[in-house]
Amino acid sequence: MCESLWPQLRLKANTEKELIAKYRRVYLETYVWDENGERRVFTDWAGCCYQFSERAFNHAFSESKNYRTSSGIHDNGWSRKRLRRILWIKEVLNLSAGTIQRYAQTRNTDRGRQAKRRTLVVVEERYVVVFDDPKEKGKPHQFVTAFPADQSYMEQIKRTSFLVETKVGAKKQGD
């Protein structure tokens, strides 16, 4: 098996509740708030801005029993695979390694409105990072979720989204 592009974060705790609290703290300190208590804003290789919400943690790092039928409701607890890759999101935005494809997608929300999404896929890892496009011009994209995808999900992205660009990061797998 090939090595991953980035290391996984493997925190330890006595209980699952403590473990999730540790990962939540990493998420908040890395993505939501800086050391001065200000909201962090990330910028990608193309100058697009991204922001993360405290509320996104629960959805982004839990899973559903069947994503095809779940309508975004996660009913299968915390995902170790997602949690361990929590630091990968910033690597994707930095284009630090691998081949990243950016897809655009329009989908219906649970309220029947059209929402635009930006999906970043790390090809070598089949790692997917999803952001909602801003509702107002000039505002940052909002983080939705990030996860390692299976092949059928990758095929679904290709069928339902428009490939906008492909970029190669600083180093490729095996370098």
Side-chain angles (χ1 to χ4, degrees):
M1 185 171 141
C2 295
E3 234 179 86
S4 292
L5 294 172
W6 307 287
Q8 293 184 28
L9 179 63
R10 295 178 184 271
L11 300 177
K12 297 196 184 309
N14 293 326
T15 66
E16 182 175 67
K17 186 176 182 178
E18 290 174 0
L19 181 65
I20 299 309
K22 285 183 174 185
Y23 277 108
R24 184 182 305 273
R25 187 170 51 247
V26 167
Y27 172 78
L28 293 173
E29 291 173 358
T30 304
Y31 297 109
V32 182
W33 305 108
D34 68 14
E35 51 282 342
N36 299 320
E38 300 291 324
R39 293 290 303 250
R40 290 186 188 273
V41 177
F42 292 81
T43 305
D44 71 7
W45 62 89
C48 292
C49 294
Y50 300 86
Q51 209 164 37
F52 295 74
S53 160
E54 293 175 9
R55 296 181 314 275
F57 180 84
N58 289 354
H59 175 76
F61 301 103
S62 60
E63 4 182 59
S64 60
K65 290 177 186 160
N66 185 338
Y67 68 83
R68 289 182 183 94
T69 60
S70 71
S71 299
I73 306 299
H74 289 189
D75 58 357
N76 204 30
W78 298 102
S79 168
R80 297 282 199 273
K81 289 179 180 181
R82 291 176 181 220
L83 289 164
R84 289 175 180 154
R85 290 164 175 82
I86 197 168
L87 297 176
W88 288 18
I89 301 164
K90 67 180 182 176
E91 300 299 335
V92 172
L93 293 175
N94 287 332
L95 190 64
S96 69
T99 306
I100 299 177
Q101 294 178 326
R102 179 168 62 96
Y103 289 89
Q105 177 186 45
T106 302
R107 60 184 291 274
N108 287 323
T109 67
D110 55 355
R111 294 186 177 145
R113 295 188 179 118
Q114 292 282 313
K116 291 184 179 181
R117 285 206 161 159
R118 172 177 293 231
T119 302
L120 306 174
V121 175
V122 182
V123 176
E124 294 86 348
E125 299 287 347
R126 289 196 320 220
Y127 185 65
V128 177
V129 184
V130 180
F131 294 91
D132 279 336
D133 281 12
K135 291 178 177 54
E136 296 177 38
K137 188 174 175 109
K139 297 286 184 181
H141 292 76
Q142 295 297 312
F143 175 68
V144 176
T145 192
F147 56 93
D150 60 20
Q151 188 58 41
S152 66
Y153 193 86
M154 297 302 294
E155 290 167 8
Q156 177 185 332
I157 289 173
K158 290 175 183 175
R159 276 192 321 272
T160 61
S161 305
F162 173 74
L163 177 61
V164 177
E165 70 177 325
T166 300
K167 298 295 269 184
V168 177
K171 63 179 181 175
K172 289 191 68 103
Q173 204 167 14
D175 286 354

